[in-house]
Amino acid sequence: MLHIVTEHSPPGGYLDESGRVIGPTTELLRLLAKRLHQPIEISLMPWARALTIARTEANTAIFETVRNAEREHWFRWVGPLKHYTIWLYGRADRIDPSVPKNKLSDHYIACEYRGSVYIDHLARLGFIQGRNLIVTVSKEDCRDMLLRKRVDLTTWNDAFTASVNSELAEQNTKMKKLTPIDDIQLYLAFSLDHEQATVDRWQQALEQSYQDGSMRALYQSRYPEAVIKRLEQFAAKSSTSSSSEQH
């Protein structure tokens, strides 16, 4: 049984009323596991704990995690599951447009969750925990604090701001882009005890789901078209590259 861990991160993964982890990304992984005849168990927990389990326990995997140079040697990677730009956002009603981007940390309080790669990005902008950065258990906590005006800024992806804006509209404001943080790819990451052949089978099954419409069927009701097309283009390019290598 493969143990897959994740965090509360709607719409990709969250608990339904019965306590089952659901969401389009979660269902995509269940579909791949079924096609691969791989029994899985998916657990939801705080991100820092999930990351520790995935790094220290055998026969585990974690999603959706950023793949970067620091983490490259931690896991064996399957993906991307998503690909988009992360920005530093603020409440429009709290942001003074005259404040330079390199002085944001002198005027505002930011929020990020424990274990996030974006804490380092925020540190480079001058946001330090205990001074002008609040570190929470989950991204949802930062979202709630932003809505309640307890913090001014948080990192957010450029493709999924609609749900936050719908809530901020009730307060007569919206999310305001301030400065790009990173262009990221999110992956399913396997613990290092997995054989590369196993990881390769998951990668092939994932790319097949991008090509045969399975991913689109699961994603299109919850994710922007730009996100879906980017993954389909990735799979098409990967398939073309593989064909060229065989010739």
Side-chain angles (χ1 to χ4, degrees), residues 176-243:
K176 179 179 176 61
K177 279 183 178 180
L178 299 175
T179 186
I181 295 293
D182 200 5
D183 190 55
I184 65 155
Q185 297 186 44
L186 298 178
Y187 278 71
L188 171 66
F190 284 79
S191 53
L192 293 175
D193 58 294
H194 285 91
E195 294 183 358
Q196 188 59 45
T198 299
V199 177
D200 289 344
R201 286 195 293 272
W202 274 83
Q203 182 68 39
Q204 291 165 7
L206 178 68
E207 292 183 23
Q208 180 60 38
S209 78
Y210 292 175
Q211 293 176 310
D212 65 18
S214 302
M215 174 273 294
R216 173 174 285 275
L218 291 168
Y219 277 20
Q220 63 185 356
S221 64
R222 304 298 295 274
Y223 297 145
E225 179 66 17
V227 171
I228 296 171
K229 282 187 174 180
R230 202 164 187 175
L231 296 175
E232 291 173 339
Q233 290 166 357
F234 161 79
K237 183 177 180 181
S238 177
S239 177
T240 300
S241 298
S242 297
S243 299

Side-chain angles (χ1 to χ4, degrees), residues 6-69:
T6 189
E7 65 174 337
H8 175 72
S9 182
Y14 58 97
L15 296 178
D16 66 8
E17 294 180 355
S18 69
R20 184 173 185 264
V21 186
I22 61 172
T25 311
T26 308
E27 297 309 321
L28 176 63
L29 296 186
R30 287 196 173 103
L31 173 64
L32 301 184
K34 182 178 180 180
R35 290 179 174 180
L36 293 168
H37 307 289
Q38 169 68 66
I40 63 171
E41 176 187 9
I42 302 178
S43 301
L44 188 147
M45 61 192 67
W47 184 253
R49 180 185 172 200
L51 198 60
T52 298
I53 287 175
R55 292 191 65 189
T56 59
E57 296 186 11
N59 200 33
T60 58
I62 185 172
F63 76 99
E64 302 167 302
T65 186
V66 174
R67 183 176 185 176
N68 60 18

Side-chain angles (χ1 to χ4, degrees), residues 122-138:
L122 290 172
R124 288 193 284 272
L125 292 173
F127 291 97
I128 307 299
Q129 185 176 359
R131 189 174 74 193
N132 52 12
L133 174 64
I134 295 176
V135 178
T136 64
V137 173
S138 71

Side-chain angles (χ1 to χ4, degrees), residues 90-147:
R91 292 179 56 111
D93 60 346
R94 307 269 284 195
I95 301 302
D96 181 350
S98 68
V99 175
K101 299 299 185 293
N102 62 348
K103 297 294 184 180
L104 291 171
S105 60
D106 294 337
H107 297 267
Y108 304 112
I109 297 175
C111 183
E112 194 52 63
Y113 65 97
R114 189 174 299 113
S116 168
V117 297
Y118 311 128
I119 289 178
D120 289 339
H121 289 278
L122 290 172
R124 288 193 284 272
L125 292 173
F127 291 97
I128 307 299
Q129 185 176 359
R131 189 174 74 193
N132 52 12
L133 174 64
I134 295 176
V135 178
T136 64
V137 173
S138 71
K139 191 65 180 179
E140 284 296 293
D141 293 332
C142 288
R143 174 195 176 115
D144 291 344
M145 294 181 77
L146 188 78
L147 291 171

